[in-house]
């Protein structure tokens, strides 16, 4: 089973193209079903966010035409997507998926939403039956990689946007923002965004002041706050714990004396001034007052940039984790690849045993049924004992990716090329046999669902379990 | 057996102190998950050792300097754990855990050779007196620490630079709350301690007892405490000035501890 990931993101495609390909969440199940119906597609997952559209599929030997699927499904002119799409195969796709889930491929590295989006896409694919064993394992590993990145690095711990830096600083001053009041002076996109962030983080109430009172009222309604007249600004400003100013005033509207008065009225409870205006609305000397913290747009920007640098540093550590997790996944997949050889070896040995028993049947006819059963047990025991070490060597070579040893064992036992063996066994069976050989897989139900012929399956399982156990004894 | 528990507690305190460094300074949550259970375990073993020791000796109060140290460590870590539960910050562990380790290290090595000679040590009043005052010392240590850390965090926020090694500092408001709560708690403990001590002294020794340097300094400390609380309450004092006042009370507290050497009527640690 092969893996293919095709998609485009904010680095490879402009927003005009991304929005044409964006899939609304309600249409995602249907689109996933359509993708699953494409020739050659065995499993499918679609990740559609504002910054990326990616199709992840597992397929047999023939590679599905995912570009054609995208062009036809989204009615995009032929060839438009070619220069914007990327295609990752197998381990490359695995690494890419791990990076995406861990937010290393995001526009803002370390943002936390992407993992939730990948999980939602996974849930949708599962709900429409588009995820089976191989992709399921891959995605579980991707979630575990993302979790490790979150817990072992500080990639998402610092804020990198002006609004979130403001919230972060407010939390450093006030701890929780629960019950804190915000005063918004003037209007501007950035100040409104900062106010919205503060309210989302628990700030209790918002006061809005503007030279145009009607504008203040409209803004206050938007935030479910209270509008105050500009003339009352200095009288009411002391009520606010956090002041966000973004007026077009040519002179500062809050001076040191004003801030001192506010502090006096507040009995020295701290105040946080966020001055987003240029020219500035708050006299810089206000920051020297004890209990007052003033950040202007440059200060906020520099904190954001410094946090971004920190994130890049953490991203390097995260990349190392991704490499480790991808390697772990590769080993798991390789160990599954050894399963056809294991089953082939068992089947070949069993065939030899049966042939020898058939040949000796005439001589064994004089034996009682008990004695015949003893011969049966003896031959099977011998076979298992003989197979034990080669089976272990096969498994070890597969997990280490030691192709030379794998080939040597195959040749020694005349197991034929891998493709022939693979055709005799499904991946699920392969896992079953590998797990059985390991004797540490608790999922016995897998054996029951094996589509191998009952006799062959029973023989193979029995042989491996008995062989490994007896070999150990 | 209690000595064994105390040794286990001391080892755990030492271990938790080491783990606190990456957990707090390195901001590594996985280290915190190891550090805090060990700290709780250390405190638990310490408590077992303490109760067992007092139960075996059929007395209520710590006897001798080692036991007093051990009691102080128990109170310090107890308060640290309360702060952790209430304010969800382990930053104070950076100081509280090594302090507890140092305070329990000597008592854990061996038995105290020097003990109080007074027969009153079996009295419940003395227990209240000693425990309240030790609790007052412990809370004052935290109040002082919180005020100092408040100052550092305030400087950091005002300078608008974010040195990575100070990321662990709790928010200003949290530290202010801790400093204030500890101050009020310490005041109550000290008032109870001094009131019970005065009553016992008046009954047993008379007014001369109050001219002793240690006793005298204790009352000065209490007076400063009152001033500190009144000023904080009336002006909402925070920041630098609050730290100056807390530091003054802390220095007096250290003087009271040191004054033990000069005290003639109220001393321990002598053969």
């Amino acid at each position: 089973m092969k893996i293919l990931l095709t998609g485009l993101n904010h680095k490879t495609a402009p927003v005009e193209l991304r929005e044409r390909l964006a899939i609304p969440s309600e249409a995602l199940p249907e689109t996933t079903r359509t993708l699953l119906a494409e020739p050659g597609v065995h499993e499918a997952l679609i990740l559609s966010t504002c910054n990326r559209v990616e199709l992840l599929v597992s397929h047999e030997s023939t590679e599905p035409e995912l570009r054609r699927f995208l062009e036809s499904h989204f009615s995009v002119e032929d060839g438009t997507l070619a220069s914007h799409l990327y295609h990752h195969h197998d381990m490359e796709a695995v690494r890419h998926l791990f990076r995406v889930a861990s937010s290393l491929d995001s526009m803002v590295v370390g943002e936390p939403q992407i993992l939730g989006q990948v999980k939602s896409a996974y849930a949708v694919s599962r709900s429409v039956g588009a995820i089976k064993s191989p992709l399921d394992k891959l995605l579980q590993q991707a979630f575990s990689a993302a979790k490790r990145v979150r817990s072992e690095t500080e990639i998402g711990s610092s804020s990198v946007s002006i609004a979130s830096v403001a919230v972060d600083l407010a939390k450093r001053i006030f701890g929780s923002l629960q019950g804190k009041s915000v005063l918004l002076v003037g209007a501007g996109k950035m100040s409104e965004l900062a106010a919205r962030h503060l309210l989302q983080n628990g700030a209790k109430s918002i006061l809005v002041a503007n030279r145009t009172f009607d504008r203040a009222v409209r803004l206050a309604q938007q935030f479910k706050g209270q509008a105050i007249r500009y003339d009352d600004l200095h009288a009411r400003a002391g009520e606010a714990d956090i002041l966000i100013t973004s007026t077009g005033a040519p002179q500062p509207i809050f001076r040191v004396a004003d801030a001192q008065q506010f502090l006096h009225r507040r009995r020295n409870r701290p105040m946080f001034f966020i001055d987003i205006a240029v020219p500035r609305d708050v006299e810089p000397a206000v920051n020297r007052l004890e209990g007052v913290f003033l950040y202007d747009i440059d200060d906020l920007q520099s904190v954001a940039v410094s946090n971004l640098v920190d994130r890049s540093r953490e991203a390097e550590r995260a990349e190392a984790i991704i490499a480790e997790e991808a390697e772990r996944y590769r080993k798991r997949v390789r160990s599954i690849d050894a399963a056809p050889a294991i089953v082939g070896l068992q089947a070949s040995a069993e065939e030899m045993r049966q042939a020898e028993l058939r040949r000796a049947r005439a001589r064994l006819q004089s034996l009682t049924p008990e004695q015949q059963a003893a011969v049966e047990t003896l031959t099977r025991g011998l076979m298992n004992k003989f197979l034990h070490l080669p089976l272990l060597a096969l498994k070890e070579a597969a997990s280490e990716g030691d192709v030379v040893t794998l080939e040597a064992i195959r040749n020694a036992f005349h197991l034929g090329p891998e493709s022939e063996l693979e055709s005799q066994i499904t991946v699920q069976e392969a896992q079953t046999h590998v797990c059985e050989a390991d004797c540490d897989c608790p999922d016995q139900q897998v054996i029951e669902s094996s589509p191998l012929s009952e006799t062959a399956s029973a023989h193979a399982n029995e042989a491996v379990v008995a062989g490994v156990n007896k070999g150990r004894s | 057996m209690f000595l064994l528990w105390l040794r286990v507690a001391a080892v755990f305190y030492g271990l938790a102190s080491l783990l606190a460094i990456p957990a707090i300074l390195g901001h590594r949550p996985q280290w915190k998950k190891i550090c805090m259970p060990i700290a709780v375990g250390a405190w638990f073993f310490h408590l077992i050792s303490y109760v067992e020791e007092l139960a075996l000796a059929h007395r209520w109060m710590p006897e001798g300097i080692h036991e007093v140290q051990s009691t102080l460590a128990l109170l310090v870590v107890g308060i640290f754990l309360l702060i952790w539960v209430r304010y969800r910050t382990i930053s104070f562990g950076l100081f509280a855990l090594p302090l507890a380790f140092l305070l329990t290290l000597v008592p854990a090595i061996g038995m105290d050779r020097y003990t109080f000679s007074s027969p009153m040590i079996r009295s419940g009043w003395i227990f209240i007196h000693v425990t309240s005052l030790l609790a007052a010392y412990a809370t004052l240590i935290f109040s002082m620490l919180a005020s100092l850390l408040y100052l550092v965090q305030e400087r950091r926020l005002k300078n608008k630079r974010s040195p990575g090694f100070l990321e662990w500092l709790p928010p200003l408001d949290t530290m202010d709350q801790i400093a204030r709560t500890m101050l009020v708690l310490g005041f109550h403990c000290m008032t109870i301690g001094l009131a019970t001590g005065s009553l016992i002294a008046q009954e047993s020794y008379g007014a001369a007892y109050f001219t002793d340097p240690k006793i005298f300094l204790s009352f000065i400390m209490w007076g400063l405490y009152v001033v500190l609380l009144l000023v904080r309450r009336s002006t909402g004092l925070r920041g630098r000035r609050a730290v100056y006042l807390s530091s003054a009370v802390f220095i007096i507290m250290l003087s009271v501890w040191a004054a033990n050497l000069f005290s003639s009527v109220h001393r321990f640690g002598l053969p």
Side-chain angles (χ1 to χ4, degrees):
Chain A
M1 196 61 61
K2 292 181 164 59
I3 291 166
L4 171 65
L5 188 147
T6 293
L8 48 78
N9 63 16
H10 57 282
K11 293 175 199 161
T12 66
V15 67
E16 295 79 23
L17 190 58
R18 295 203 309 271
E19 64 193 8
R20 281 184 71 183
L21 265 59
I23 304 165
S25 53
E26 59 275 10
L28 196 58
E30 194 46 49
T31 315
T32 309
R33 268 192 215 106
T34 317
L35 175 61
L36 190 63
E38 281 288 300
V41 175
H42 181 66
E43 295 169 281
L45 175 136
I46 302 176
L47 177 64
S48 174
T49 72
C50 50
N51 282 329
R52 69 184 65 243
V53 175
E54 291 183 347
L55 311 178
L56 175 68
V57 300
S58 69
H59 61 93
E60 306 290 348
S61 47
T62 323
E63 190 175 307
E65 286 282 341
L66 295 184
R67 179 168 67 92
R68 219 185 44 208
F69 167 79
L70 283 170
E71 284 173 347
S72 67
H73 190 81
F74 295 100
S75 313
V76 181
E77 302 76 47
D78 283 0
T80 313
L81 293 177
S83 58
H84 301 287
L85 284 177
Y86 44 80
H87 307 274
H88 297 304
H89 298 86
D90 299 322
M91 281 313 292
E92 218 182 309
V94 169
R95 266 188 291 273
H96 179 80
L97 177 69
F98 287 8
R99 291 188 80 249
V100 169
S102 309
S103 187
L104 290 175
D105 198 49
S106 298
M107 186 182 268
V108 178
V109 172
E111 54 91 8
Q113 286 88 5
I114 186 69
L115 181 59
Q117 288 163 332
V118 178
K119 283 184 175 171
S120 303
Y122 167 72
V124 168
S125 288
R126 267 191 83 95
S127 69
V128 299
I131 295 257
K132 289 163 203 152
S133 180
L135 273 198
D136 192 69
K137 283 195 164 45
L138 172 61
L139 282 149
Q140 294 301 341
Q141 191 87 25
F143 299 147
S144 124
K147 197 176 163 195
R148 265 194 75 193
V149 166
R150 283 272 145 199
S151 61
E152 292 179 26
T153 72
E154 289 187 57
I155 196 151
S157 66
S158 51
S159 310
V160 289
S161 72
I162 299 289
S164 53
V165 165
V167 171
D168 196 35
L169 287 166
K171 281 184 178 169
R172 279 175 197 274
I173 296 167
F174 301 109
S176 161
L177 296 185
Q178 296 291 332
K180 299 291 174 240
S181 55
V182 180
L183 169 61
L184 189 59
V185 188
K189 272 197 173 170
M190 211 181 279
S191 59
E192 285 172 31
L193 191 65
R196 187 161 288 129
H197 263 69
L198 289 165
L199 287 172
Q200 279 168 357
N201 278 273
K204 175 191 70 176
S205 59
I206 189 157
L207 297 171
V208 183
N210 201 294
R211 279 193 194 279
T212 319
F213 186 64
D214 287 347
R215 181 83 202 274
V217 171
R218 274 201 305 278
L219 260 179
Q221 278 170 348
Q222 202 180 317
F223 289 116
K224 292 180 184 152
Q226 186 193 349
I228 57 170
R229 297 208 172 269
Y230 200 77
D231 295 340
D232 296 336
L233 178 62
H234 285 79
R236 303 281 306 268
E239 292 172 25
D241 300 294
I242 303 162
L243 275 93
I244 307 171
T245 66
S246 62
T247 73
Q251 299 292 325
I253 51 175
F254 294 116
R255 296 184 181 275
V256 173
D258 301 322
Q260 275 171 331
Q261 273 187 4
F262 301 154
L263 277 177
H264 182 68
R265 268 182 251 150
R266 293 168 57 79
R267 290 162 52 88
N268 291 317
R269 273 185 297 124
M271 281 183 97
F272 181 29
F273 284 80
I274 303 167
D275 185 0
I276 301 176
V278 179
R280 287 174 290 183
D281 283 337
V282 187
E283 204 173 52
V286 164
N287 191 48
R288 284 195 217 121
L289 292 176
E290 208 170 308
V292 177
F293 303 90
L294 166 64
Y295 277 71
D296 61 31
I297 186 74
D298 279 3
D299 299 328
L300 295 171
Q301 193 77 53
S302 70
V303 174
V305 169
S306 135
N307 288 348
L308 205 56
V309 172
D310 288 347
R311 278 199 182 191
S312 318
R313 207 176 302 127
E314 289 299 299
E316 283 173 26
R317 292 181 55 215
E319 293 285 3
I321 293 172
I322 295 296
E324 259 176 49
E325 290 291 321
E327 181 58 21
R328 190 177 296 174
Y329 177 78
R330 190 185 65 82
K331 281 189 174 173
R332 275 182 72 187
V333 172
R334 283 213 174 185
S335 67
I336 289 168
D337 283 343
I342 291 172
V343 174
L345 182 56
Q346 288 163 345
S348 150
E350 178 63 18
E351 207 175 292
M352 274 188 245
R353 191 179 73 89
Q354 293 293 345
E356 287 305 309
L357 282 174
R358 272 197 303 275
R359 207 181 315 163
R361 190 172 293 153
R363 279 172 286 157
L364 297 175
Q365 263 176 354
S366 58
L367 298 181
T368 62
E370 288 79 21
Q371 286 169 329
Q372 281 185 1
V375 169
E376 176 77 21
T377 313
L378 176 75
T379 52
R380 182 165 290 144
L382 277 172
M383 183 189 79
N384 288 338
K385 210 139 212 164
F386 174 72
L387 286 181
H388 176 68
L389 288 176
L391 282 177
L392 283 185
L394 257 175
K395 173 90 171 56
E396 205 170 304
S399 67
E400 293 296 321
D402 185 351
V403 185
V404 177
T405 309
L406 271 175
E407 206 49 44
I409 297 171
R410 276 200 197 103
N411 290 338
F413 290 95
H414 299 287
L415 294 177
E418 195 180 338
S419 54
E420 274 177 33
L421 291 163
E422 268 182 354
S423 63
Q424 298 166 15
I425 185 166
T426 66
V427 172
Q428 201 174 30
E429 287 162 28
Q431 279 176 296
T432 309
H433 294 299
V434 171
C435 290
E436 287 294 309
D438 253 356
C439 290
D440 60 3
C441 176
D443 192 4
Q444 294 299 322
Q445 289 172 337
V446 185
I447 300 167
E448 290 164 24
S449 65
S450 167
L452 263 184
S453 79
E454 207 180 326
T455 326
S457 175
H459 280 168
N461 283 324
E462 209 178 323
V464 178
V465 175
V468 171
N469 288 343
K470 287 178 185 173
R472 277 175 188 163
S473 67
Chain B
M1 196 68 176
F2 66 86
L3 203 58
L4 174 71
W5 297 133
L6 190 63
R7 282 172 184 164
V8 172
V11 170
F12 275 30
Y13 280 139
L15 211 57
S17 307
L18 290 176
L19 290 169
I21 296 168
I24 299 166
L25 298 182
H27 201 65
R28 295 274 180 261
Q30 62 267 44
W31 287 99
K32 185 179 164 182
K33 280 183 197 159
I34 309 170
C35 172
M36 288 315 291
I38 291 179
V40 172
W43 190 76
F44 181 68
F45 282 120
H46 195 169
L47 187 68
I48 290 176
S49 156
Y50 186 73
V51 172
E52 193 178 320
E53 186 180 4
L54 294 190
L56 279 174
H58 299 290
R59 58 185 159 80
W60 279 97
M61 64 163 283
E63 192 184 81
I65 192 81
H66 286 184
E67 281 185 30
V68 169
Q69 276 182 18
S70 170
T71 314
L72 188 60
L74 195 68
L75 287 165
V76 164
V77 179
I79 293 171
F80 160 64
L81 294 177
L82 282 176
I83 288 175
W84 171 54
V85 171
R86 171 71 182 81
Y87 298 100
R88 308 309 304 169
T89 175
I90 63 161
S91 304
F92 289 87
L94 214 53
F95 310 97
L97 293 171
L99 180 65
F101 172 67
L102 291 175
L103 285 171
T104 47
L105 191 63
V106 178
I109 289 168
M111 295 286 286
D112 206 349
R113 284 190 294 149
Y114 310 124
T115 55
F116 295 128
S117 50
S118 170
M120 286 198 304
I121 56 168
R122 283 171 218 286
S123 148
W125 287 107
I126 282 283
F127 169 74
I128 294 172
H129 168 68
V130 173
T131 313
S132 307
L133 285 177
L134 285 176
Y137 289 150
T139 50
L140 199 60
I141 289 171
F142 279 96
S143 176
M144 177 71 190
L145 267 178
S147 301
L148 280 173
L149 295 182
Y150 181 100
L151 211 58
V152 178
Q153 179 74 301
E154 190 192 38
R155 291 298 103 192
R156 183 168 169 252
L157 285 166
K158 279 203 175 282
N159 291 340
K160 298 165 188 178
R161 283 193 300 272
S162 232
F165 65 92
L166 289 175
E167 280 292 320
W168 57 276
L169 286 172
L172 274 185
D173 203 50
T174 305
M175 281 185 291
D176 187 54
Q177 281 180 39
I178 293 171
R180 206 173 46 232
T181 310
M182 290 298 128
L183 210 59
V184 172
L185 199 67
F187 177 72
H188 291 314
C189 291
M190 180 157 281
T191 308
I192 294 168
L194 286 181
T196 47
S198 302
L199 281 173
I200 296 163
Q202 190 68 41
E203 284 290 309
S204 317
Y205 306 103
Y209 193 79
F210 296 93
T211 56
D212 183 80
K214 185 172 180 180
I215 312 302
F216 185 67
L217 278 169
S218 295
F219 278 97
I220 290 184
M221 184 157 90
W222 186 82
L224 268 170
Y225 235 134
V226 176
V227 171
L228 190 60
L229 280 175
L230 284 177
V231 172
R232 270 195 85 113
R233 183 154 291 187
S234 61
T235 64
L237 190 71
R238 282 177 174 83
R240 205 179 312 128
R241 278 167 289 178
V243 172
Y244 291 156
L245 267 176
S246 292
S247 308
V249 183
F250 192 75
I251 289 164
I252 299 278
M253 185 197 92
L254 288 180
S255 319
V256 173
W257 196 264
N260 174 52
L261 296 172
F262 311 106
S263 175
S264 54
V265 293
H266 183 293
R267 65 188 306 194
F268 43 77
L270 279 180

